[in-house]
């Protein structure tokens, strides 16, 4: 049975500082195969979209990087660019975004922070999958060359998978742009012209020209839409919606892509979910509302399915924050499914499919430290 560790959120003395908590996670039995002297180690972190205001502090990443290096691992930090045409679309913009957000790439990270798919976000290789949907997916070249992997996720709600956690970041966060397009290809967007106020906030995010402006109004051509969701996340009026049938397939495709990463990883992986500043929007949004649950700490496991299942349950069992969306939606009380209320979805389908793909198992043991 998989083990999930929960280091709770409060820090009441120096022995419970953020760096001490990270040290305790690195000391877990499972880490012996992941942080290995003289073996390469990729730490997958999130560089969030500019405008998103509740990103995980870079110190969480740099502390993990530093401590992994102190234990002898040849560590680096990685991520992928965005599928939509925002500031993180290519290597230049992604690096700028990381610096603006406070990542000391040259100093704190010793220049060891790089895109998994290279500067173009397209360096990688097609790797076959065993599932029902993708046939295979393009992994960034970095993940094909690295030994071990730690996926560090900033937990938020997510409009398609309910919880943006370990499975989502493993399945999406190490793909090239073509790989991400493949996973998104099941999504269909709908444009409600009556809601559009002509602000044109969406236009610069569209990479395909599916959204256009003839000078008098915005129009949408679904035939050339790649389902990147840039317009959905940037529209202030909710004029773009995702048609429901594609969402179940998307959840399964994410788990399928995650299984491809695990199959092609040379070494071992470990997963860390930070439940700090849990916002209704994921890090891909160009804005963020206030968090809807208190900081709940760090959950960690070698099993991404077990980890995300526990993460979802912990959020569900937490009280909501007054004045947040949890109050708007009347889900402040402990036990209410805040994720379902906020996103209209839960990660259930993704996790069930993850089990089918032998990615992990929701049957697990939870070990708690205060
Ligand atoms: S119209 Fe399609 S391709 Fe363009 S931003 Fe929206 S989802 Fe992306």
């Amino acid at each position: 049975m998989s083990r999930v560790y929960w280091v709770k959120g409060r820090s009441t003395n120096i022995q419970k500082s953020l760096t001490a908590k990270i040290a305790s996670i690195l000391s877990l039995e499972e880490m012996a195969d992941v942080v290995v002297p003289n073996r390469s180690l990729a730490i997958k972190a999130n560089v969030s979209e500019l405008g998103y205001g509740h990103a995980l502090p870079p110190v969480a990443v740099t502390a993990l990087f530093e401590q992994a290096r102190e234990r002898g691992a040849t560590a680096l930090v990685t991520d992928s660019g965005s599928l939509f045409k925002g500031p993180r679309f290519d290597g230049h913009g992604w690096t700028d975004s990381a610096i603006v957000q406070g990542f000391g790439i040259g100093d704190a990270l010793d220049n060891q922070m790089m895109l998994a798919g290279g500067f173009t976000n397209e360096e990688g290789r097609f790797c076959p999958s065993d599932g029902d949907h993708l046939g295979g997916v393009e992994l960034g070249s970095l993940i094909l060359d690295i030994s071990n992997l730690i996926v560090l996720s900033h937990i938020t709600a997510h409009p398609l998978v309910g919880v943006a956690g370990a499975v989502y970041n493993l399945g999406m966060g190490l793909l090239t742009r073509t790989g991400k397009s493949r996973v998104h290809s099941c999504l269909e967007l709908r444009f409600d012209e009556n809601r559009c106020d002509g602000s044109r906030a969406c236009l610069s995010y569209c990479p395909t020209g599916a959204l256009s402006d003839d000078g008098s109004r915005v129009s949408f051509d679904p035939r050339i839409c790649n389902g990147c969701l840039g317009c959905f996340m940037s529209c202030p009026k909710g004029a773009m919606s995702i048609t429901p049938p594609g969402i179940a397939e998307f959840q399964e495709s994410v788990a399928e892509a995650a299984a491809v990463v695990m199959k092609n990883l040379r070494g071992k992986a470990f997963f860390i979910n930070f439940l700090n500043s849990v916002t209704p929007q994921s890090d891909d949004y160009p804005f963020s509302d206030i968090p809807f649950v208190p900081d709940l700490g760090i959950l960690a496991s070698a099993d991404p399915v077990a980890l995300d299942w526990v993460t979802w349950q912990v959020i569900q069992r937490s009280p909501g924050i007054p004045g947040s969306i949890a109050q708007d939606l009347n889900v402040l009380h402990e036990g209410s499914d805040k994720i379902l209320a906020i996103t209209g979805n839960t990660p259930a389908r993704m996790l069930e499919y993850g089990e089918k793909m032998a990615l992990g198992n929701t049957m697990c043991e939870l070990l708690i430290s205060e």
Side-chain angles (χ1 to χ4, degrees):
M1 187 184 291
S2 302
R3 281 182 287 198
V4 177
Y5 301 91
W6 184 7
V7 182
K8 288 216 170 171
R10 294 194 63 190
S11 290
T12 50
N13 63 53
I14 192 169
Q15 291 169 328
K16 294 176 180 175
S17 68
L18 177 64
T19 47
K21 288 177 179 180
I22 287 172
S24 74
I25 288 169
L26 283 172
S27 301
L28 294 170
E29 195 184 317
E30 292 88 336
M31 278 292 189
D33 293 335
V34 179
V35 181
V36 181
N38 302 317
R39 296 284 297 275
S40 54
L41 168 69
I43 299 169
K44 159 70 182 86
N46 301 110
V47 171
S48 63
E49 188 69 7
L50 291 183
Y52 180 85
H54 292 84
L56 199 61
V59 66
V61 180
T62 51
L64 183 62
F65 172 83
E66 268 300 315
Q67 292 187 30
R69 292 236 298 201
E70 281 165 16
R71 288 163 194 252
T74 310
L76 59 86
V77 176
T78 192
D79 190 16
S80 61
S82 65
L83 185 53
F84 54 83
K85 210 169 177 183
R88 300 169 299 143
F89 191 64
D90 62 20
H92 189 269
W94 176 82
T95 303
D96 271 355
S97 300
I99 291 168
V100 167
Q101 285 166 46
F103 282 97
I105 295 178
D107 302 329
L109 296 173
D110 205 14
N111 290 309
Q112 300 298 336
M113 185 168 182
M114 55 200 84
L115 277 173
F119 180 82
T120 59
N121 210 15
E122 284 291 23
E123 292 168 24
R125 179 160 54 82
F126 177 83
C127 298
S129 68
D130 299 324
D132 300 326
H133 303 297
L134 299 173
V137 73
E138 288 77 4
L139 305 188
S141 55
L142 185 146
I143 205 65
L144 296 165
D145 290 331
I146 210 81
S147 295
N148 298 318
L149 173 68
I150 294 176
V151 177
L152 191 162
S153 302
H154 172 223
I155 295 301
T156 64
H158 187 282
L160 296 172
V161 297
V163 175
V167 176
Y168 179 73
N169 279 300
L170 178 66
M172 291 300 293
L174 297 160
L175 307 183
T176 66
R177 185 175 303 121
T178 300
K180 286 189 175 188
S181 262
R182 200 181 287 278
V183 180
H184 276 243
S185 64
C186 57
L187 298 175
E188 279 183 26
L189 277 282
R190 196 177 285 145
F191 177 47
D192 182 347
E193 236 174 295
N194 297 323
R195 282 181 171 236
C196 178
D197 67 355
S199 73
R200 290 159 175 75
C202 57
L203 285 173
S204 64
Y205 286 90
C206 184
T208 65
L211 284 171
S212 58
D213 174 14
D214 67 4
S216 61
R217 66 185 183 95
V218 173
S219 57
F220 172 55
D221 182 350
R223 293 168 303 177
I224 52 173
C225 171
N226 71 0
C228 75
L229 306 186
C231 54
F232 173 81
M233 292 188 279
S234 60
C235 178
K237 296 293 175 187
M240 302 302 298
S241 56
I242 307 162
T243 61
I247 294 178
E249 185 175 337
F250 181 83
Q251 288 211 4
E252 294 190 355
S253 297
V254 169
E256 188 172 329
V260 177
V261 175
M262 290 305 291
K263 191 172 157 190
N264 287 278
L265 185 68
R266 295 178 183 188
K268 300 273 187 193
F270 194 80
F271 303 89
I272 304 174
N273 286 354
F274 274 83
L275 285 79
N276 290 24
S277 296
V278 181
T279 55
Q281 295 78 25
S282 67
D283 287 42
D284 284 328
Y285 278 73
F287 69 98
S288 50
D289 194 4
I290 63 169
F292 59 90
V293 288
D295 287 355
L296 295 165
I298 306 170
L299 287 159
S301 180
D303 179 334
V305 173
L307 179 60
D308 282 357
W309 187 82
V310 172
T311 299
W312 175 28
Q313 301 309 309
V314 164
I315 292 172
Q316 191 156 308
R317 285 164 201 198
S318 166
I321 293 180
S324 73
I325 193 171
Q327 181 163 17
D328 297 347
L329 298 174
N330 199 23
V331 285
L332 280 176
H333 49 290
E334 296 173 24
S336 56
D337 196 337
K338 297 159 192 69
I339 293 296
L340 179 62
I342 291 167
T343 68
N345 290 300
T346 74
R349 187 82 171 239
M350 178 175 68
L351 300 182
E352 268 169 38
Y353 203 74
E355 287 184 317
K356 189 176 159 193
M357 300 297 300
L359 199 57
N361 202 302
T362 55
M363 290 291 289
C364 58
E365 180 186 10
L366 180 60
L367 301 159
I368 301 175
S369 58
E370 293 296 332

